[in-house]
Amino acid sequence: MQNQKRSQLEFVVLMAALMSIVALSIDAVLPALPEIGDYLSSVNETENQKLITAIFLGLGFGQLIFGPLSDSFGRKPMVYFGFAVFVIASIICITTRNFEMMLFGRVLQGVGLSSPRTMSTAIVRDSYSGDHMAKILSIVTMTFILVPVIAPMLGQFLLNHFGWHSIFTVNLAFGSLIILWFWQRQPETLHEKYKKTFRFTNFKAGAITFFRIKSAVIYTLLSGLVTGSFMVYLSTSQQIFQVQYELGDLFPYIFASLAITIGLSTFLNSAIVIRFGMWNLVHIALIVFVVNSLIFVITFWSGINPPIEVLMVFLMLQFASVAFLFGNYRALAMEPMGHIAGVGAALNGFISTVMAVPIANFIGSFIKTSVLPLFIGFFVTGIIGLVLFYSVKKPIRGAYHKN
């Protein structure tokens, strides 16, 4: 029994570790954006945001490749293949002196890392089912959310002592250790009998089915909107806290406190979702998301930034509602797609991520001397979200569990 217990704990930590390579590659780089920009002679701070959004572009496209392929070739080979791409991409990022090449390296890092990220979810789904799967996934996500709390502090430390290149090197070393652990301890979870021969027609048939399910498409678009508005914050946070508010080395701690808000809200969501239902929680969270941003826009319309404490309260409320939206949108989109779960998850991830990148780049381009555009962005994406949300019929609870 002791062994069984240990292996489940080890399984959860390993799955979270696989996902965390992604978060580390995004968040540890944040404090170093100005230095990387200077080194590569980028035009301005708005350009530097692309070093964050580029990785998401890769993540989106990668999911589309690795998801379907893993149904044919197994989960483990895909993790190794994706990690090999990440290694090549990291070497490009470390050695280049050209901003465009660095962006290419970041997109490629995203493509490579989409594999351990997508595969960890697939491995959990292979190994557990039903409520137990949901519980394990929420623990994995919880652990995964802790990474953004620590990552910028680690990034700041490495930057101050060893220069920005070391952030990429440490990421690579951390990833390699996890892949070694994965290779040693994690068996293949896709049984031979479930392996499908890879045919493009299967993917095409799954995709056609996906686009015929109105609710799946709408909830995927809603995921894209909320991911986009959150990505604006991710890619501009360094600029807001270090440049506009001149908080310097305090940036990682402020970033961490907001990440903790998201973590706690995600935990709260997993605790109450069965009691209140996903739809109701999303409904309340969307209204909070819109009202909170509207109050900020009206109050600080002049464009003069509020005191940092006030900004933090608004951001905490905004991200608490984001945490409730993230997971539930995905679950609501996946609900009617049991029969095409693999293709469905890949399309859901691909559309919502790739859609988020232009939203983030567009809104981010306005954030220069004030936080106001960030909240205008929240408000507009929130209003569009509400309209889309009301265009779908409320699901009858339990309706999907009969088939």
Side-chain angles (χ1 to χ4, degrees), residues 278-317:
M278 293 184 281
W279 195 90
N280 296 326
L281 290 179
V282 165
H283 192 194
I284 296 163
L286 247 181
I287 291 169
V288 172
F289 187 88
V290 170
V291 172
N292 188 56
S293 49
L294 179 63
I295 293 171
F296 186 96
V297 171
I298 293 169
T299 316
F300 303 105
W301 183 247
S302 63
I304 297 163
N305 279 348
I308 185 71
E309 299 79 11
V310 177
L311 177 67
M312 290 299 284
V313 171
F314 275 98
L315 284 175
M316 279 178 171
L317 276 167

Side-chain angles (χ1 to χ4, degrees), residues 201-213 340 343-344 347:
T201 45
N202 293 353
F203 185 78
K204 197 174 137 195
I208 291 167
T209 312
F210 171 85
F211 286 111
R212 284 199 182 126
I213 306 172
I340 50 158
V343 176
L347 281 169

Side-chain angles (χ1 to χ4, degrees), residues 18-317:
L18 276 178
M19 283 178 121
S20 68
I21 312 175
V22 186
L24 200 60
S25 299
I26 297 165
D27 302 324
V29 176
L30 288 170
L33 288 179
E35 284 77 2
I36 300 175
D38 288 347
Y39 179 84
L40 301 168
S41 35
S42 78
V43 197
N44 54 30
E45 280 150 354
T46 317
E47 277 299 285
N48 295 347
Q49 297 169 13
K50 291 183 181 156
L51 292 169
I52 301 300
T53 53
I55 203 165
F56 283 99
L57 201 58
L59 281 171
F61 277 99
Q63 290 177 20
L64 212 49
I65 307 163
F66 292 115
L69 283 177
S70 75
D71 288 341
S72 309
F73 301 106
R75 315 299 186 205
K76 288 189 81 171
M78 288 302 110
V79 172
Y80 302 141
F81 181 68
F83 191 72
V85 173
F86 173 68
V87 172
I88 296 164
S90 300
I91 294 167
I92 294 174
C93 292
I94 293 167
T95 52
T96 184
R97 296 219 54 140
N98 173 316
F99 190 74
E100 282 68 32
M101 200 60 191
M102 176 61 125
L103 285 182
F104 171 71
R106 291 292 276 173
V107 172
L108 206 57
Q109 272 193 326
V111 171
L113 289 176
S114 67
S115 161
R117 185 185 177 177
T118 319
M119 288 310 100
S120 56
T121 316
I123 290 168
V124 172
R125 205 171 56 217
D126 292 340
S127 313
Y128 296 96
S129 62
D131 290 340
H132 205 70
M133 174 185 87
K135 197 173 160 105
I136 297 267
L137 264 181
S138 69
I139 301 169
V140 168
T141 315
M142 261 306 277
T143 324
F144 166 67
I145 283 172
L146 292 174
V147 177
V149 177
I150 309 154
M153 296 179 196
L154 174 69
Q156 187 93 47
F157 172 81
L158 291 171
L159 175 70
N160 293 346
H161 294 279
F162 310 102
W164 70 264
H165 285 92
S166 64
I167 299 174
F168 286 87
T169 320
V170 167
N171 260 345
L172 201 48
F174 172 73
S176 307
L177 284 172
I178 287 167
I179 294 298
L180 251 165
W181 177 23
F182 175 78
W183 170 64
Q184 280 292 321
R185 305 282 298 167
Q186 178 60 43
E188 177 58 64
T189 55
L190 183 69
H191 297 297
E192 284 300 322
K193 63 175 180 192
Y194 291 125
K195 282 193 178 171
K196 302 178 181 130
T197 321
F198 184 73
R199 287 201 192 90
F200 184 68
T201 45
N202 293 353
F203 185 78
K204 197 174 137 195
I208 291 167
T209 312
F210 171 85
F211 286 111
R212 284 199 182 126
I213 306 172
K214 182 186 170 187
S215 65
V217 175
I218 299 259
Y219 287 123
T220 300
L221 295 176
L222 284 165
S223 284
L225 286 169
V226 76
T227 308
S229 59
F230 183 68
M231 207 185 286
V232 183
Y233 160 74
L234 257 189
S235 57
T236 59
S237 57
Q238 179 274 329
Q239 215 175 312
I240 290 169
F241 297 127
Q242 284 191 333
V243 181
Q244 294 183 14
Y245 278 92
E246 298 174 346
L247 290 167
D249 285 356
L250 285 174
F251 163 61
Y253 301 98
I254 288 179
F255 190 86
S257 62
L258 286 165
I260 290 169
T261 307
I262 294 177
L264 290 174
S265 307
T266 307
F267 180 71
L268 181 64
N269 179 56
S270 65
I272 64 175
V273 67
I274 292 174
R275 191 169 153 209
F276 293 103
M278 293 184 281
W279 195 90
N280 296 326
L281 290 179
V282 165
H283 192 194
I284 296 163
L286 247 181
I287 291 169
V288 172
F289 187 88
V290 170
V291 172
N292 188 56
S293 49
L294 179 63
I295 293 171
F296 186 96
V297 171
I298 293 169
T299 316
F300 303 105
W301 183 247
S302 63
I304 297 163
N305 279 348
I308 185 71
E309 299 79 11
V310 177
L311 177 67
M312 290 299 284
V313 171
F314 275 98
L315 284 175
M316 279 178 171
L317 276 167

Side-chain angles (χ1 to χ4, degrees), residues 350-373:
F350 165 72
I351 295 167
S352 57
T353 312
V354 170
M355 187 182 141
V357 173
I359 294 175
N361 285 340
F362 177 70
I363 300 171
S365 66
F366 293 100
I367 298 176
K368 295 187 172 73
T369 54
S370 165
V371 190
L372 182 66

